[in-house]
Amino acid sequence: MQPIKRTIAIVCGGDSSEHDVSLRSAQGLYSFFDKQRYNVYIVDIKGQDWHANLHDGTSTPIDRNDFSFMENGKVVHFDYAYITIHGTPGENGILQGYFDLVNLPYSTSGVLVEAMTFDKFVLNQYLRGYGVSVAESLLIRRGYEHLVSDEEILQKVGMPCFVKPSSDGSSFGVSKVKNIDQLAPAMRKAMMESDEVMVESYLEGTEITIGCYKTREKEVLFPITEVVTKNEFFDFDAKYNGQVDEITPARISEDTARRVRQLTSAIYDILHCNGIIRIDYILTKNADGTERINMLEVNTTPGMTPTSFIPQQVRAAGLNMTDVLTDIVENQF
């Protein structure tokens, strides 16, 4: 007897600058999911426009009372939501709260974890309490810029530094600032993306990233990718327009790789994550010549296009994205 096929929503879009990037991730995920096992629909969310893309090329509105839709005169209810929104409302806990209310399992961590990982400044301060090394930073809120002087920034963070939206991703609104004169325009640029801006010290070293997920039965840590760009930093063009070399596995010592895996697993557990996460780090040198692992960011809805880091790492591990996604879904049933 054939088991009943679960119906999966790949939820994409969102209300941030990353809307179109999210649509690309949704297409990637759609290509990876096991269609023999699941009925899969892409659900695009933007503002009040929520619609499911039907297999005949048309779309139909989502009933937000229970996240259902009509197809061929019948109501279709989802069994699971795979969230691939980069930015609000899918990466900051808002959509997770909605799914909790309608009692629908989803692929990411819960409301608190999503809200915390989305706010880079809050996450840094939280994980610092667990001994995780992070860059020095200051938080500046819209309307309260006068409370933090240029001198204070110089003293605590130094130059060069990064000015970035505290709550956003994909390097929108990020500037590398080399002198005080560049601070104000960088601040304005970041404020276009977020009401809170983080000014963060510049760390020079090797940038790496690693994906991870855990189920009731196992822990999976993917091979580490080294990120090399000729740009000033790993900006939007580097991420999405090919201006970067992504080397998997990273050219780092086995001891450093072991410590990175260990730290990634620990952060996953500290935050009580769910589904696939990707953590970005930068390796710097301690005074004694050993490598220091500095956490940059925890991505809870990492990119899922065929060329994104996670699918690359899955291939490098000799695994199959279809099997990985099945692991993620079935772990909640």
Side-chain angles (χ1 to χ4, degrees):
M1 182 177 161
Q2 281 285 96
I4 295 171
K5 289 171 79 170
R6 301 193 205 281
T7 301
I8 308 288
I10 299 174
V11 188
C12 63
D15 302 318
S16 77
S17 303
E18 300 171 87
H19 180 273
D20 291 350
V21 176
S22 171
L23 300 187
R24 284 152 63 181
S25 283
Q27 291 297 334
L29 283 164
Y30 188 84
S31 72
F32 296 138
F33 263 108
D34 184 348
K35 312 301 190 307
Q36 300 300 312
R37 185 166 190 153
Y38 303 115
N39 297 312
V40 185
Y41 295 86
I42 291 176
V43 175
D44 191 345
I45 288 176
K46 188 172 177 63
Q48 298 300 302
D49 178 18
W50 294 27
H51 61 267
N53 296 331
L54 303 181
H55 301 133
D56 63 3
T58 64
S59 66
T60 186
I62 291 284
D63 182 346
R64 290 197 293 275
N65 289 301
D66 59 1
F67 202 67
S68 64
F69 65 93
M70 298 290 293
E71 185 175 31
N72 298 325
K74 294 180 181 177
V75 178
V76 179
H77 292 278
F78 288 109
D79 299 300
Y80 185 89
Y82 197 104
I83 302 171
T84 191
I85 291 175
H86 312 310
T88 190
E91 203 173 7
N92 56 2
I94 293 173
L95 196 58
Q96 286 78 5
Y98 164 77
F99 285 139
D100 285 342
L101 285 171
V102 299
N103 201 29
L104 185 68
Y106 49 85
S107 59
T108 69
S109 310
V111 173
L112 177 62
V113 176
E114 291 299 313
M116 192 169 10
T117 53
F118 192 65
D119 190 315
K120 300 178 183 73
F121 184 80
V122 168
L123 180 69
N124 280 9
Q125 307 320 307
Y126 182 74
L127 289 179
R128 193 196 293 270
Y130 284 89
V132 177
S133 177
V134 294
E136 286 292 343
S137 58
L138 284 166
L139 186 68
I140 299 170
R141 293 186 172 92
R142 187 190 302 278
Y144 296 89
E145 295 91 338
H146 61 282
L147 295 180
V148 181
S149 67
D150 290 352
E151 290 70 29
E152 190 177 349
I153 291 172
L154 266 178
Q155 189 174 2
K156 180 160 187 184
V157 176
M159 291 284 163
C161 66
F162 284 107
V163 175
K164 59 178 74 171
S166 190
S167 301
D168 204 9
S170 271
S171 303
F172 284 105
V174 180
S175 302
K176 184 178 179 183
V177 172
K178 298 177 180 177
N179 58 61
I180 286 291
D181 294 340
Q182 296 175 343
L183 262 179
M187 209 78 72
R188 286 193 295 272
K189 180 180 176 183
M191 289 277 182
M192 291 173 69
E193 300 291 334
S194 172
D195 287 338
E196 295 185 339
V197 170
M198 183 166 75
V199 184
E200 185 178 56
S201 62
Y202 170 70
L203 298 175
E204 185 163 5
T206 302
E207 190 164 343
I208 59 171
T209 188
I210 177 173
C212 170
Y213 75 93
K214 299 187 183 189
T215 67
R216 287 182 294 271
E217 289 81 33
K218 62 185 174 183
E219 167 186 89
V220 179
L221 288 149
F222 300 134
I224 301 166
T225 300
E226 181 181 347
V227 182
V228 183
T229 179
K230 296 180 177 66
N231 298 9
E232 280 280 7
F233 60 97
F234 190 43
D235 59 9
F236 185 86
D237 280 332
K239 279 184 180 177
Y240 298 112
N241 295 327
Q243 298 173 12
V244 67
D245 290 324
E246 298 164 1
I247 302 159
T248 309
R251 299 168 298 181
I252 57 178
S253 72
E254 182 45 46
D255 178 64
T256 300
R258 177 189 58 78
R259 290 193 294 128
V260 168
R261 290 191 291 268
Q262 195 173 40
L263 178 58
T264 301
S265 178
I267 290 173
Y268 195 103
D269 291 341
I270 288 166
L271 295 175
H272 195 55
C273 290
N274 177 55
I276 300 174
I277 67 166
R278 200 192 79 231
I279 306 185
D280 302 338
Y281 300 98
I282 193 155
L283 306 176
T284 57
K285 293 290 185 185
N286 290 317
D288 63 0
T290 58
E291 282 184 307
R292 185 180 187 88
I293 305 165
N294 307 278
M295 191 214 69
L296 294 177
E297 189 174 353
V298 176
N299 301 278
T300 58
T301 61
M304 285 293 179
T305 70
T307 58
S308 295
F309 286 121
I310 293 297
Q312 279 186 56
Q313 292 177 1
V314 167
R315 287 193 297 272
L319 300 173
N320 183 294
M321 271 302 301
T322 299
D323 296 336
V324 168
L325 292 176
T326 300
D327 272 356
I328 300 296
V329 174
E330 295 303 316
N331 188 55
Q332 302 209 215
F333 294 98

